[in-house]
Structure formats: structure tokens, C-alpha cells
């Protein structure tokens, strides 16, 4: 029998940081309608907050990714954790202005996930890369369980009245984000001998990061160095368009026919996350390295299209909502880790943070675009955005199919 590869303890440390980060974000999610419920057309204000949060990544993600290549991953973890702590304190007054300030501040330092993927890739043996990135995805899903679950338990156990629910959940988020600041400070560096960056290089990176038009040129340059990277980033971009439904769900179930309150939203995300983490863990632990990943993306995306369209047709039926989210966990929710694994194989120690940073910036651009689209469509009909999400997922399947047609055999062979 082959000798098992020892697990680097830093992986557990990184997993703990991202787990708490997503718990904080998902715990706050169900109470966000409280910040806009007094406004006319509240769905538009929620969409604006989401666009502001994700749009800040257009320049912050590439910059933080480049900094992590030059100075190491640990300093970026610290900056991001501190930024999240500050952003959550801004939510204590339950007002629209506080929400927008939070979205701006948190988005500014939300480049952590480009650094997370770089750090995991730094310390992962090639044969365990898909598994470790898949576990990251499972932990993110687990965070989506625990976050709303803790919120729901807190509000239920203490019988918090509706007017105070948002404030209580925010205070909990502030305390948890402070824990993450401590964890980030104690993380051991994963990037061996970071070379540093000159002031001129930082200025150039900042100028490029602030110029959205340069993202495509930088991506094309990286594609010449790592064949196939551009198509993978475009697939990720189309997937980002479709997964905008994650951000839209709170609006849809709050203000649509279902009319769920904060507890109902929490219970829904508890089920969604719990099922997702189990399925993702099993899939990435036992199957992801043994299948043709490219073909899997085509099939999972194709099967996920009717699921997304179906969400818009559930009406007042909780049964069909939960049935569709079950199929969701078995199909489209598995795609993200597969694309990230294929992308990670096309990076090096020298430019890993930069590549993931460009990718996250492209995702930020896609998130702004899809948020604006679903925000406008929701003004016509709250069900209409799901047609957009389904169309974008169909594009993911098409891009994966196109890439599969021209890939080298080595690109898509299952790992022995």
C-alpha cells in the first residue's frame, strides 16, 4: 500500500479562517432585509449593496493577489480579517447608510479568497490539489449551514423581537470576526521566500487594478504562459453570472410569494448548506480526481440549467423549493471546485496569487454585471432573474464543451 501523504497543519489553520469568515457573512445575510425594508423598492437597494461589495474586488483582488506573491499570504489574511471586523462594526446601527458602508469596507479587503486558493495550492501535493480545494468548497458550504443556523438558534433561543434581530446578529458577527483576526495573526506563512515588490511595481499594479480594461490584456498574457487559462476564467465568469442567484435568494424569498422571515431564511440556508457540504465532501474526496473534470463540468452545468429556471416557478411551495435545492447540491453547486482545480494546475509559485487575483477581479466584474441585471429584471417580475441565471449556466456548459473539443488529452484525463 502507498504511504499516506502527511497533511500540512497549515491547511487546518486556513480552513478554520475561511470557515469563520463565511459563517460571519452567511449569519448576517438573513437580516440584511431589515436594513432596507423601509425603503421604496427594497430589492433594488439590496442589489446595490451587493454590487458595491463585489465591485470593490475589481481592483482590490488583483492588488492583494500580487501583494501576496511579493510579501506572502499571511499579511493578506491579516488585512482581510481586520477589514471584515471593521466592516461588521459598521452594521451596528441598522440603517441603509450603515449597510452601504459595510458593503464598501468589506468588499475593499475581500481579496482573501484569491489568497486562500494560492495558499492551499502552495502547500498541496499535486495528487491532493483537487481534494484540498474541494475541501475548501465543502467548508464554505458548511459555513453557509452554521452561519444561518447560529443566527436562527440565537434568535429562537433568546426569543429576540423582530426589531432587535438584526442588531443581535450583527454583534455576534463582530465577535466572530475578531476571532478571525487572531487566527490570521497566528497563521504560518505558506509562500516560501516571497521576493518582495518594488514601489514602482506596486504603483503599476495599482494602476492596472484600477483600470478594468487592463484585466483582459493581463489575462491574455497569462494565457500565453499557461495554455487554456483564459477559457477557464471565462467559464468562471459565466458561472459567476449564474451564481448571482446566491445573492438574490434573500430578496426573492423575503419579498416574493414565499414571504419568509429571518428564521425561515436561516432554516432554508441551513438545509442548503448541510446537504451541500456532505455532497461536496464525498464528491471531492472520492470522485473529483478519478473523473474527467472537463466532461463533468459539461454535464453538471447542463443538468443545473432547469434547476435555476425552476426556482422562479416554485410559487408559495416550500416543498418544491427544498426539492430543487437538493438537486442543486448534486449538480451546479459542484462546478466551482472543478474549475478552480483546473485553474490551479495552470499556475506557478511565482504568479499564483496574481492569477487568482485576476480571476477574482473578473468575478467581481461579473458579479456587478449580474447584480445589475437581476436587479433590473426583479423590477419587472421577481421570478424573471432565474431565467437569466439559467441562461448563464448554459454558457458555462457551452464553454466547457468548446474547450473539451480542443483540449489536449492530458488536460482532461482522470488522475490515476
Amino acid at each position: 500500500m502507498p504511504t499516506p501523504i502527511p497533511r500540512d497543519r497549515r491547511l487546518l489553520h486556513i480552513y478554520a479562517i475561511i470557515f469563520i469568515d463565511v459563517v460571519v457573512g452567511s449569519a448576517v445575510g438573513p437580516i440584511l432585509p431589515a436594513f432596507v425594508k423601509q425603503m421604496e423598492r427594497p430589492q433594488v437597494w439590496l442589489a446595490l449593496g451587493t454590487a458595491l461589495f463585489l465591485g470593490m474586488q475589481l481592483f482590490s483582488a488583483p492588488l492583494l493577489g500580487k501583494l501576496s506573491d511579493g510579501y506572502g499570504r499571511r499579511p493578506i489574511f491579516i488585512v482581510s480579517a481586520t477589514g471584515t471586523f471593521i466592516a461588521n462594526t459598521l452594521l451596528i446601527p441598522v440603517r441603509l447608510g450603515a449597510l452601504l458602508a459595510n458593503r464598501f469596507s468589506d468588499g475593499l479587503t475581500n481579496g482573501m479568497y484569491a489568497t486562500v486558493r494560492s495558499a492551499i495550492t502552495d502547500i498541496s501535493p499535486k495528487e491532493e490539489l483537487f481534494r484540498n480545494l474541494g475541501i475548501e468548497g465543502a467548508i464554505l458550504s458548511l459555513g453557509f449551514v452554521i452561519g444561518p443556523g447560529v443566527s436562527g438558534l440565537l434568535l429562537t433561543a433568546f426569543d429576540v423581537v423582530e426589531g432587535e434581530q438584526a442588531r443581535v446578529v450583527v454583534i455576534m458577527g463582530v465577535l466572530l470576526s475578531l476571532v478571525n483576526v487572531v487566527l490570521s495573526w497566528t497563521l504560518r506563512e505558506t509562500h516560501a521566500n516571497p521576493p518582495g515588490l518594488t514601489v514602482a511595481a506596486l504603483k503599476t499594479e495599482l494602476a492596472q487594478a484600477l483600470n478594468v480594461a487592463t484585466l483582459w490584456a493581463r489575462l491574455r498574457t497569462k494565457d500565453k504562459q499557461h495554455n487554456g487559462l483564459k477559457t477557464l476564467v471565462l467559464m468562471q465568469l459565466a458561472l459567476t453570472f449564474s451564481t448571482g442567484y446566491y445573492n438574490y435568494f434573500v430578496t426573492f424569498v423575503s419579498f416574493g410569494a414565499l414571504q419568509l422571515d429571518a428564521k425561515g431564511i436561516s432554516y432554508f440556508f441551513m438545509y442548503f448548506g448541510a446537504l451541500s457540504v456532505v455532497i461536496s465532501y464525498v464528491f471531492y474526496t472520492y470522485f473529483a480526481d478519478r473523473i474527467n473534470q472537463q466532461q463533468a463540468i459539461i454535464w453538471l452545468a447542463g443538468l443545473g440549467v432547469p434547476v435555476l429556471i425552476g426556482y422562479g416557478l416554485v410559487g408559495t411551495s416550500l416543498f418544491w423549493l427544498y426539492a430543487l435545492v437538493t438537486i442543486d447540491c448534486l449538480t451546479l453547486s459542484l462546478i466551482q471546485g472543478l474549475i478552480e482545480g483546473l485553474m490551479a494546475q495552470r499556475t506557478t509559485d511565482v504568479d499564483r496569487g496574481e492569477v487568482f487575483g485576476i480571476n477574482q477581479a473578473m468575478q467581481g466584474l461579473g458579479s456587478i454585471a449580474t447584480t445589475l441585471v437581476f436587479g433590473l429584471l426583479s423590477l419587472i417580475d421577481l421570478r424573471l432573474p432565474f431565467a437569466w441565471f439559467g441562461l448563464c449556466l448554459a454558457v458555462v456548459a457551452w464553454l466547457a464543451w468548446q474547450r473539451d473539443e480542443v483540449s489536449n488529452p492530458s488536460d482532461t484525463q482522470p488522475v490515476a
Side-chain angles (χ1 to χ4, degrees):
M1 294 180 63
T3 304
I5 299 172
R7 182 64 55 86
D8 193 313
R9 292 183 179 180
R10 288 172 294 181
L11 276 174
L12 299 178
H13 202 142
I14 293 168
Y15 291 155
I17 291 171
I18 61 176
F19 172 70
I20 293 177
D21 185 73
V22 75
V23 163
V24 171
S26 61
V28 170
I31 53 94
L32 292 183
F35 289 81
V36 300
K37 66 180 181 180
Q38 301 301 327
M39 305 300 296
E40 185 177 356
R41 300 187 183 278
Q43 70 268 34
V44 175
W45 289 104
L46 280 179
L48 178 62
T50 300
L52 182 61
F53 169 69
L54 297 168
M56 294 307 299
Q57 297 175 29
L58 285 176
F59 72 92
S60 68
L63 180 61
L64 292 174
K66 187 71 172 179
L67 286 168
S68 80
D69 284 337
Y71 296 109
R73 318 302 183 198
R74 178 176 174 269
I76 306 307
F77 276 98
I78 294 171
V79 168
S80 296
T82 304
T84 298
F85 170 74
I86 294 171
N88 280 301
T89 61
L90 295 174
L91 283 177
I92 292 176
V94 185
R95 298 194 296 266
L96 175 61
L99 173 63
L100 296 179
N102 165 272
R103 299 291 83 186
F104 176 86
S105 176
D106 205 15
L108 191 64
T109 55
N110 199 48
M112 184 180 76
Y113 286 93
T115 303
V116 163
R117 288 154 196 146
S118 298
I120 291 173
T121 306
D122 288 340
I123 56 179
S124 295
K126 183 178 180 180
E127 58 269 30
E128 295 215 348
L129 180 58
F130 273 99
R131 179 182 179 181
N132 291 342
L133 287 172
I135 291 174
E136 177 220 358
I139 289 172
L140 292 176
S141 298
L142 181 61
F144 279 112
V145 180
I146 301 299
V150 170
S151 293
L153 181 62
L154 185 67
L155 298 178
T156 302
F158 291 95
D159 197 22
V160 182
V161 297
E162 186 173 351
E164 292 296 317
Q165 289 178 351
R167 193 183 309 276
V168 169
V169 172
V170 167
I171 291 173
M172 178 191 68
V174 170
L175 295 176
L176 287 175
S177 59
L178 183 59
V179 173
N180 238 9
V181 173
V182 176
L183 285 175
S184 297
W185 275 98
T186 56
L187 176 67
R188 290 187 296 118
E189 182 57 62
T190 66
H191 185 16
N193 302 315
L197 291 172
T198 65
V199 174
L202 282 175
K203 289 181 178 178
T204 300
E205 183 65 28
L206 181 59
Q208 290 179 333
L210 289 170
N211 186 350
V212 178
T214 64
L215 283 174
W216 181 251
R218 295 174 69 187
L219 178 59
R220 292 183 64 183
T221 299
K222 289 298 176 184
D223 186 61
K224 293 177 182 178
Q225 300 170 14
H226 311 290
N227 185 39
L229 180 65
K230 181 177 68 175
T231 303
L232 287 169
V233 172
L234 289 176
M235 287 165 59
Q236 185 82 279
L237 180 61
L239 184 64
T240 300
F241 288 156
S242 68
T243 54
Y245 80 99
Y246 291 146
N247 296 314
Y248 182 63
F249 249 135
V250 171
T251 299
F252 179 69
V253 299
S254 297
F255 303 115
L258 287 162
Q259 293 288 309
L260 298 184
D261 60 9
K263 291 180 184 178
I265 296 171
S266 295
Y267 298 150
F268 168 73
F269 280 110
M270 285 170 62
Y271 176 78
F272 193 172
L275 187 62
S276 181
V277 69
V278 172
I279 292 173
S280 294
Y281 180 79
V282 172
F283 177 76
Y284 283 105
T285 300
Y286 299 106
F287 298 103
D289 286 328
R290 296 175 173 85
I291 62 174
N292 183 308
Q293 294 92 16
Q294 193 74 33
Q295 288 285 331
I297 293 171
I298 297 171
W299 280 101
L300 293 173
L303 293 171
V305 171
V307 174
L308 287 178
I309 295 173
Y311 280 132
L313 304 176
V314 296
T316 58
S317 174
L318 282 175
F319 170 81
W320 284 112
L321 178 66
Y322 278 81
L324 284 172
V325 86
T326 302
I327 304 172
D328 184 328
C329 293
L330 290 164
T331 55
L332 66 133
S333 291
L334 298 172
I335 298 172
Q336 180 87 11
L338 292 174
I339 297 177
E340 287 177 1
L342 291 171
M343 195 179 300
Q345 292 177 339
R346 287 162 174 77
T347 65
T348 65
D349 291 340
V350 175
D351 66 358
R352 185 163 296 134
E354 182 181 5
V355 169
F356 279 120
I358 292 173
N359 178 57
Q360 189 169 349
M362 293 290 286
Q363 288 180 276
L365 179 62
S367 297
I368 291 177
T370 197
T371 300
L372 292 174
V373 170
F374 74 62
L376 291 173
L377 290 175
S378 69
L379 293 176
I380 302 171
D381 192 309
L382 286 171
R383 299 168 296 181
L384 200 53
F386 288 103
W388 160 255
F389 301 138
L391 175 64
C392 294
L393 189 60
V395 173
V396 175
W398 179 78
L399 286 171
W401 179 76
Q402 289 288 314
R403 183 176 182 274
D404 190 57
E405 290 290 299
V406 299
S407 292
N408 294 320
S410 58
D411 288 338
T412 56
Q413 287 295 314
V415 178

